[in-house]
């Protein structure tokens, strides 16, 4: 690799230390790239979000040297069952060589931070908010606040990994197109010593109820919100699960379900000159299907290679990063929109037609294809 340009502060500045920005930083730093990550938060992100880690995401974690730590902390899903009106319609198994792992995002995040500290102890700048980024032709200039101090940083490349609500994407006018798939859900992670190792997806007429075992004797419930329902109390949430699945969850009064809107968007211009958009800032994928973080990691793997090549050649060419990112995001969004439609509330005749389709997907000839779909094969 060519030596870094002595005039610039860094070779790459990443905006946002979410799981995707952090993974890119690990990949670049371990290859000797001078990279810093600006993160506006000082502390941990308290939100409970991603849990599912699929084989292509795991492959990039392996490349960054934390695959084994993730495997050691995660629960490996044995498989999943799709049910409707009390009957199992389809069952999938996840073989050990193509595992689906379950690990709460905060734990994954802690492993990524630990790895970045190992490969580049000063790369992460917490409490550092980026207010503006400009491509100056041969380099990029970022306006940054560190506490009360405003300063400028220069780099050969800037990567915007600042999440779904990316202010920098909006400021640069990179476009944010709405894609099919939009619905509201509620979610809670609750103690359940009987959680086992299979995911259950109830796709009955009342609307989707998902249930995933988590490590440490916990279970995540996700429930599709139907018009007029309040699922943000333990009572309302438990009642909806009981009505749709017959399961009595006996949620304690201290359980506070979180409501979230699942929506899908795609950036119009993922790369402009020396500025690349990455992760949720590039594509919002509905959490139904659990692909957003994994897709971001796959993009990070591609972008690390493209940046390495561009830095070595001292040019601004990021190869097919933009095209490959858009192609994979569109495919993931189509899959998520399909999963969401399979769990939409439906009158019984429509639910019956849906049951027939799900049964067909669970038959021996189609099962491997369905398992590939769920485990992000081909993205
Ligand atoms: C309920 C739920 C369940 C999910 N489940 C799954 C799942 O099972 N599997 C899966 O793959 N995905 C899942 N996802 C999606 C996953 O959580 C996201 O795809 C992932 O967090 C995106 O990571 P990111 O690093 O791109 O963005 P983020 O995690 O949003 O990180 C962006 C970071 O940028 C920082 N930032 C923002 N602006 C600035 C600025 N101007 N300067 C400095 N820092 C800034 C923010 O503070 C933040 O830390 C789920 C999402 C939800 C909501």
């Amino acid at each position: 690799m060519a030596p870094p340009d002595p005039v610039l502060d860094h070779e790459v500045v990443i905006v946002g230390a979410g799981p995707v920005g952090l993974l890119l930083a690990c990949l670049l730093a371990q290859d000797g790239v001078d990279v810093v990550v600006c993160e506006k938060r000082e502390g941990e992100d308290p939100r409970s979000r991603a849990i599912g880690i699929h084989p292509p995401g795991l492959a990039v974690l392996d490349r960054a040297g934390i695959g084994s730590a993730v495997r050691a902390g995660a629960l490996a899903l044995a498989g999943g069952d799709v049910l409707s009106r009390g009957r199992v319609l389809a069952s999938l198994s996840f073989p050990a060589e193509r595992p689906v792992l379950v690990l709460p995002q905060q734990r994954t995040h802690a492993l990524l931070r630990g790895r970045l500290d190992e490969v580049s102890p000063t790369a992460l700048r917490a409490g550092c908010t980026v207010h503006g980024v400009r491509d100056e032709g041969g380099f990029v200039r970022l306006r940054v606040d560190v506490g009360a101090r405003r300063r400028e940083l220069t780099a050969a490349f800037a990567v915007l990994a600042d999440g779904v609500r990316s202010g920098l994407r909006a400021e640069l006018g990179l476009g944010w197109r709405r894609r099919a798939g939009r619905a509201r859900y509620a979610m809670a992670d609750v103690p359940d010593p009987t959680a086992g190792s299979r995911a259950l997806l109830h796709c009955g007429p009342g609307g989707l109820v998902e249930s995933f075992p988590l490590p440490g004797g916990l279970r995540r419930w996700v429930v599709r919100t139907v018009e007029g329902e309040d699922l943000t109390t333990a009572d309302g949430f438990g009642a909806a699960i009981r009505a749709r699945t017959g399961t009595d969850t006996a949620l304690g009064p201290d359980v506070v379900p979180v409501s979230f809107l699942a929506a899908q968007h795609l950036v119009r211009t993922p790369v402009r000159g020396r500025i690349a958009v990455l992760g949720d800032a590039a594509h919002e994928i509905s959490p139904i299907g659990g692909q957003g973080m994994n897709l971001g990691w796959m993009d990070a793997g591609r972008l690390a290679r493209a940046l390495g090549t561009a830095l070595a050649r001292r040019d601004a060419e990021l190869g097919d990063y933009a095209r490959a990112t858009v192609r994979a995001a569109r495919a993931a969004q189509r899959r998520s929109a399909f999963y969401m439609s399979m769990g939409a509330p439906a009158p019984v005749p429509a639910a019956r037609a849906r049951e027939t389709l799900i049964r067909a997907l669970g038959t021996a000839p189609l099962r491997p294809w369905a398992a590939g779909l769920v485990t992000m094969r081909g993205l």
Side-chain angles (χ1 to χ4, degrees):
M1 185 170 296
D5 186 332
V7 181
L8 300 177
D9 295 314
H10 302 286
E11 290 183 296
V12 179
V13 174
I14 299 172
V15 186
V20 180
L22 280 179
L23 183 57
L24 176 66
C26 292
L27 293 170
L28 291 174
Q30 74 187 16
D31 281 351
V33 173
D34 169 13
V35 57
V36 296
V37 191
C38 294
E39 168 54 50
K40 67 180 178 185
R41 277 179 206 281
E42 299 269 10
E44 296 297 311
D45 184 343
R47 289 172 296 170
S48 180
R49 292 193 286 164
I51 54 171
I53 299 179
H54 297 288
L58 189 57
V60 194
L61 294 173
D62 277 331
R63 222 173 104 192
I66 63 161
S68 358
V70 166
R71 283 183 187 82
L75 180 151
L77 271 188
D81 303 311
V82 188
L83 304 94
S84 179
R85 297 187 292 158
R87 285 189 295 269
V88 176
L89 306 175
S91 289
L92 296 178
S93 301
F94 303 131
E97 66 278 9
R98 218 175 141 67
V100 175
L101 304 180
V102 180
L103 190 67
Q105 185 163 331
Q106 280 144 336
R107 304 223 333 241
T108 311
H109 198 260
L111 291 172
L112 284 162
R113 277 185 71 153
R115 176 63 181 157
L116 184 58
D117 276 351
E118 252 170 51
V119 288
S120 180
T122 58
L124 180 58
R125 311 279 163 91
C128 171
T129 305
V130 178
H131 287 288
V133 54
R134 210 167 57 212
D135 188 332
E136 303 278 9
F139 67 99
V140 287
R141 191 188 302 276
L142 298 101
R143 276 185 296 119
V144 171
D145 277 358
V146 186
R149 271 191 319 123
R150 176 147 298 190
R151 56 170 297 204
E152 276 189 0
L153 280 180
T154 55
F157 289 94
V159 177
L160 313 185
D162 51 341
V164 163
R165 272 175 273 283
S166 168
L168 299 170
R169 178 192 62 221
E171 185 194 282
L172 290 170
L174 298 179
W176 192 233
R177 285 188 183 150
R178 187 159 154 184
R179 305 260 302 150
R182 196 177 178 84
R184 187 161 283 284
Y185 299 82
M187 170 185 101
D189 295 346
V190 302
D192 181 352
T194 66
S197 62
R198 294 190 73 79
L200 302 177
L201 310 174
H202 298 264
C203 294
L208 181 74
V209 176
E210 291 182 341
S211 150
F212 299 96
L214 302 176
L218 294 169
R219 181 178 283 283
R220 170 169 293 185
W221 290 96
V222 180
V223 181
R224 166 88 185 236
T225 304
V226 176
E227 189 103 13
E229 250 178 353
D230 179 11
L231 299 184
T232 58
T233 64
D235 281 352
F237 193 72
I241 294 173
R242 203 162 32 251
R244 296 186 205 173
T245 71
T247 309
D248 195 351
T249 52
L251 301 178
D254 51 327
V255 170
V256 184
V258 178
S259 168
F260 67 92
L261 178 69
Q264 305 210 98
H265 289 87
L266 183 56
V267 70
R268 190 180 297 125
T269 313
V271 173
R272 179 175 289 164
R274 291 176 172 271
I275 302 170
V277 191
L278 177 70
D280 273 19
H283 41 63
E284 181 180 18
I285 314 285
S286 161
I288 305 306
Q291 304 176 90
M293 178 177 68
N294 286 271
L295 198 69
W297 286 341
M298 294 158 72
D299 299 340
R302 278 191 286 269
L303 186 55
R305 289 212 167 95
L307 285 167
T309 307
L311 288 165
R313 290 196 197 137
R314 289 185 178 275
D315 66 20
E317 183 47 58
L318 293 180
D320 75 341
Y321 169 72
R323 205 173 42 78
T325 296
V326 165
R327 187 198 58 78
R330 285 208 178 114
Q333 287 172 332
R334 278 195 297 274
R335 291 181 190 188
S336 285
F338 172 69
Y339 304 144
M340 289 168 85
S341 71
M342 289 295 101
V348 171
R352 269 203 207 105
R354 194 160 75 187
E355 287 168 3
T356 307
L357 173 60
I358 296 171
R359 270 204 194 92
L361 290 174
T363 55
L366 290 183
R367 211 179 298 133
W369 180 80
L373 205 65
V374 173
T375 57
M376 299 182 73
R377 197 189 282 278
L379 291 181

